[in-house]
Amino acid sequence: MDQFSLQNPVFTTYVIAACIMILKAISMSWLTVVRMMQVNGGFRNPEDLKKSPANPKPNPGQTAPNEKVERIRRIHQNDLENLPFFLAAGLLFTATAPPVWLAQWLFYGYVASRFAHFLAYLTAQLHDVRALFWTIGSLILIYMTGATLVKALGY
């Protein structure tokens, strides 16, 4: 069976998890815009202060940092720093032909850890809570990468 075929349940699991993570990361851009519109601020560029249908009453304070907008930006930045590693590690791990149950636990565990991290970050939980969920995802990545490396080295 071709490892990178949707006929392979491990690859299908990876594809589902990867698509969910990509959609989550993309949705952060939209959430940033929604927050900017809600608070009528948090804009970043001088041209954002020009009168337009989207900004009929511009004011200089609109480019000042806004914590509600910046929190979403930080969550998005965290996704951009972490998701590429999952996309690469998961794909490489798929090539090792792991048992389906293990791939499901790891891939869906990573997805769950990232959503838990998102909720903890969004609701301003203690750093310790956020770090716990980040650590779970990080350990999953370390395991998948290590297992892939061991397999590639022929052990």
Side-chain angles (χ1 to χ4, degrees):
M1 175 188 316
D2 183 13
Q3 294 303 95
F4 301 108
S5 162
L6 290 175
Q7 303 306 311
N8 175 0
V10 171
F11 184 65
T12 300
T13 302
Y14 167 75
V15 168
I16 292 167
C19 287
I20 291 169
M21 290 290 82
I22 292 166
L23 289 170
K24 187 233 180 264
I26 291 169
S27 70
M28 297 312 300
S29 299
W30 288 93
L31 187 54
T32 302
V33 171
V34 167
R35 282 284 171 98
M36 289 168 52
M37 296 299 104
Q38 286 174 340
V39 301
N40 195 27
F43 304 148
R44 285 209 165 152
N45 302 298
E47 62 271 17
D48 298 340
L49 296 179
K50 293 180 180 176
K51 188 174 181 174
S52 71
N55 192 9
K57 296 179 184 176
N59 69 67
Q62 289 176 311
T63 55
N66 178 285
E67 177 52 25
K68 288 184 176 185
V69 176
E70 293 306 313
R71 179 167 295 279
I72 300 301
R73 284 191 174 122
R74 290 191 301 270
I75 295 169
H76 192 194
Q77 182 63 39
N78 191 276
D79 279 347
L80 295 176
E81 292 167 355
N82 288 278
L83 295 184
F85 294 113
F86 170 72
L87 297 175
L91 188 63
L92 294 172
F93 185 68
T94 297
T96 70
V100 174
W101 66 267
L102 179 60
Q104 289 173 336
W105 270 98
L106 294 170
F107 296 158
Y108 295 147
Y110 185 82
V111 169
S113 76
R114 292 306 301 172
F115 274 100
H117 180 270
F118 163 76
L119 289 173
Y121 214 143
L122 184 68
T123 59
Q125 300 300 309
L126 290 175
H127 176 266
D128 301 11
V129 174
R130 207 172 64 236
L132 170 67
F133 297 128
W134 177 88
T135 299
I136 291 168
S138 182
L139 290 173
I140 289 170
L141 292 179
I142 291 167
Y143 176 82
M144 288 192 307
T145 304
T148 303
L149 182 59
V150 166
K151 185 93 172 199
L153 292 171
Y155 295 108

